[in-house]
Amino acid sequence: MKRLVLATLAIWLLVAPVAAADDSQEAWAALVSGKHVALIRHGNAPPGYGDPPGFKIDDCATQRNLDEKGRAQAGALGEAFRQHGVRADKILSSPWCRCLETARLMGLGPVDGTGAVAASERSPERLAALRQILANWRGPGTLVVVTHGLTVQALVGIMPGQAETVVVRPKGGKEPGVEVVGRIPVPE
């Protein structure tokens, strides 16, 4: 039994990088084709989650912000979008400074800061509004949404790393929503 477990683990370790690469390639292809949504978690903003007590949404000095690594990630992410030929038709960002800065440093176009993009399970009305925005996206290009890990998790059940992209396809019907196409790791 132990050998079977070890053999299975060895096979998985060999296959997992290939599966991740395929996932990333499919995600890039979807973004290039348009009519998809890129859910991007803001760049590196130490020390982790949340903001200091007493933070103010209109005062970046009171928030957790991008560090140099986060700024570099944002620039690299924008460059990766350009290199792949992704057309960003609209860019929405959470109004938190780390998200706005990530979106602006990507350099893909004008950024619209909106509270709906800062949704989570703790703000069901904003989460419902964001789900509707995503489900209604029809392109022709890509909708870029720079947000928080908890927002992406509430939408699709994935907690992305900082500066990671989760690509989704809008789906209509009685229950509008999105389905995950793939993930794009943090650009190097």
Side-chain angles (χ1 to χ4, degrees), residues 106-132:
M106 287 176 67
L108 299 176
V111 176
D112 182 16
T114 177
V117 178
S120 73
E121 296 293 346
R122 290 178 276 181
S123 56
E125 68 292 337
R126 284 193 312 224
L127 191 56
L130 181 55
R131 278 193 176 107
Q132 197 65 49

Side-chain angles (χ1 to χ4, degrees), residues 1-23:
M1 183 65 172
K2 186 175 179 181
R3 285 185 182 165
L4 179 60
V5 170
L6 289 174
T8 302
L9 178 61
I11 291 169
W12 182 82
L13 289 173
L14 291 172
V15 174
V18 173
D22 288 345
D23 186 49

Side-chain angles (χ1 to χ4, degrees), residues 81-133:
F81 270 62
R82 285 185 287 283
Q83 285 180 357
H84 282 89
V86 176
R87 177 178 154 201
D89 277 358
K90 188 168 189 171
I91 303 156
L92 299 177
S93 173
S94 160
W96 267 254
C97 296
R98 59 189 170 269
C99 294
L100 286 167
E101 187 175 15
T102 298
R104 290 177 181 140
L105 288 173
M106 287 176 67
L108 299 176
V111 176
D112 182 16
T114 177
V117 178
S120 73
E121 296 293 346
R122 290 178 276 181
S123 56
E125 68 292 337
R126 284 193 312 224
L127 191 56
L130 181 55
R131 278 193 176 107
Q132 197 65 49
I133 291 168

